[in-house]
Amino acid sequence: MHLPPARRRKDIPLLVDFHVKRLAVANRKAIEGVTREAMDRLIKYDYPGNIRELVNIIERAVVISRGPSITVDDLPFAKPAASRAGERGGTLHDALDALECEMVRAALDEAGGNQSRAALSLGIGERTLRYRMKKLRLK
């Protein structure tokens, strides 16, 4: 199946709304929509993949969202990991852990939870991935 690249910016709000509603029901979450700021980020994001990447981003946001709307903080590209660690007054170690956590989550999301494919995309072995998941307290 061929999926077109997500280059038509005007289609993104429609796709986001559709998938938020669908995934909120599937995940039993009471999410009504996306904040304006989050939608702006989703529209401006240059999807290196295709629509599948947009769906993965929305699914992740639905799962981690704690409110009635998806906010910028629920998006994986809200702020670089190093900036978040620096804002907390963290160390280089904190920044590296945050970046590692973000990359592992993104790889697992993209691989649909398949650890073998996630490890392959990260360029590490499955055992290393499982160790890092345990260290970062990811499931």
Side-chain angles (χ1 to χ4, degrees):
M1 176 193 317
H2 172 72
L3 293 173
R7 290 191 190 113
R8 291 181 48 175
R9 303 281 183 216
K10 66 180 183 175
D11 293 341
I12 292 176
L14 296 171
L15 291 165
V16 168
D17 289 339
F18 171 78
H19 288 293
V20 165
K21 289 175 184 162
R22 180 181 67 80
L23 292 165
V25 169
N27 288 285
R28 297 183 185 141
K29 300 277 289 224
I31 297 177
E32 299 166 4
V34 179
T35 64
R36 179 171 288 161
E37 187 180 4
M39 184 64 79
D40 287 345
R41 294 272 177 103
L42 289 165
I43 291 170
K44 290 176 185 172
Y45 183 67
D46 184 32
Y47 298 90
N50 52 29
I51 301 302
R52 215 172 313 154
E53 183 175 0
L54 172 65
V55 174
N56 286 340
I57 289 169
I58 296 302
E59 184 172 24
R60 176 188 180 275
V62 165
V63 169
I64 67 170
S65 178
R66 298 203 184 274
S69 297
I70 292 174
T71 66
V72 173
D73 293 331
D74 299 325
L75 301 176
F77 44 82
K79 289 184 182 177
S83 296
R84 286 192 302 266
E87 287 173 1
R88 292 190 307 261
T91 64
L92 176 60
H93 188 317
D94 295 336
L96 291 173
D97 281 348
L99 178 61
E100 182 179 31
C101 184
E102 192 170 309
M103 289 181 71
V104 169
R105 280 187 185 173
L108 286 166
D109 286 346
E110 197 165 305
N114 183 310
Q115 292 180 7
S116 298
R117 286 191 298 165
L120 185 64
S121 74
L122 290 168
I124 59 176
E126 289 178 58
R127 191 172 181 185
T128 303
L129 176 64
R130 284 191 292 276
Y131 167 77
R132 293 182 190 276
M133 288 172 63
K134 184 177 179 181
K135 178 181 114 183
L136 299 167
R137 294 185 183 106
L138 298 174
K139 291 200 178 209

